[in-house]
Amino acid sequence: MTDTSVALLGVKGGPAIKPGSNMPSSTLLQMNSLNILVDAGLGVTRAVCDQGLALTEIDLIIITHLHSDHYLELGALFHTAWVAGLRTPIPVIGPAGLNHYWTAFLSSMQYDINLRIEDEGRCDLAGLTRISEISEGLIYDQNAVKITALRNRHPPIRDSFALKFEACGKKIVLSGDTTYFAEMIAFADQADLLVHEVLLEAGVDALCASLGVTDDRLKQHLMRSHTAAPDVGRIARLARVRRLALNHFVPGADDRFSPQDWEVGIRQTWDGPLTIGTDGLKIDL
Ligand SMILES: [Zn+2]
Ligand SMILES: [Zn+2]
């Protein structure tokens, strides 16, 4: 039995950053001595190192869906792991289309990659991963770690997944980006930790107002594809999880809203243990 932990590397919803904001999505799970990275948003490479983990020690990467805030830095992460000495491939499980990103990344960096192979004697970066396509159901069952994917509801994207990790008697569920849907309750049933994305409706109104939006399309889009705070609390309660942690805050960079605002939304429906995520926060289980 080894330590189980979840580090919230980047908790901001959406791809933009600004001074003082959190960074986009990535999460590091450590279970049964495996280091599993979920998503690779901007800042992931630095954030993994800040957890005291060498890039060469990542065992598995899963990409939940192809919004840029979840995979923009995947290529740079691999390139940096490569120059940091990675020689053993890291498998990646992600949606159809990720292969195209990877081959296009390699092609865009071809000059540098070829130079380092010839000039520095490095191995070929192209051989350092193999990407397999994610689908619903059991996606990984090795080293006494089981990972199950559930297609969530994140329109217009169809290939978007919640993930459940089971090892060492612990169960961890990550919602991914999703609107409220009832299947999440059974999927997260009695999890030791549910990490759920969250949207603050008042924050969305403020966001739309600040952008000068005159109709409700942006608001409707956000409400259709993300989960309002009281619904997140409801899922945690009905699923009887042991702890709820929040990430992927929408809006994610509005200093008019403080952690207290998110807590007020959640406390309408959930009175159990609650962690308001911040970048770099590690939760030990
Ligand atoms: Zn996102
Ligand atoms: Zn998304």
Side-chain angles (χ1 to χ4, degrees), residues 21-100:
S21 72
N22 283 314
M23 294 299 282
S25 280
S26 54
T27 306
L28 178 67
L29 290 89
Q30 298 184 293
M31 298 188 94
N32 202 26
S33 302
L34 279 190
N35 300 307
I36 305 164
L37 182 68
V38 176
D39 289 333
L42 194 67
V44 65
T45 312
R46 177 76 256 166
V48 168
C49 293
D50 286 348
Q51 290 296 319
L53 187 73
L55 301 174
T56 51
E57 294 176 307
I58 299 169
D59 296 298
L60 173 67
I61 299 174
I62 305 172
I63 302 297
T64 59
H65 67 297
L66 296 185
H67 265 146
S68 61
D69 49 323
H70 298 257
Y71 74 109
L72 185 65
E73 201 170 295
L74 182 65
L77 172 70
F78 264 103
H79 187 287
T80 311
W82 174 57
V83 294
L86 183 69
R87 291 196 162 270
T88 313
I90 304 172
V92 174
I93 306 173
L98 195 59
N99 236 328
H100 174 68

Side-chain angles (χ1 to χ4, degrees), residues 12-15 25 65 67-70 154 177 197 226 248 250:
K12 187 185 170 292
S25 280
H65 67 297
H67 265 146
S68 61
D69 49 323
H70 298 257
H154 192 47
D177 283 15
E197 70 124 82
H226 296 288
H248 202 280
V250 174

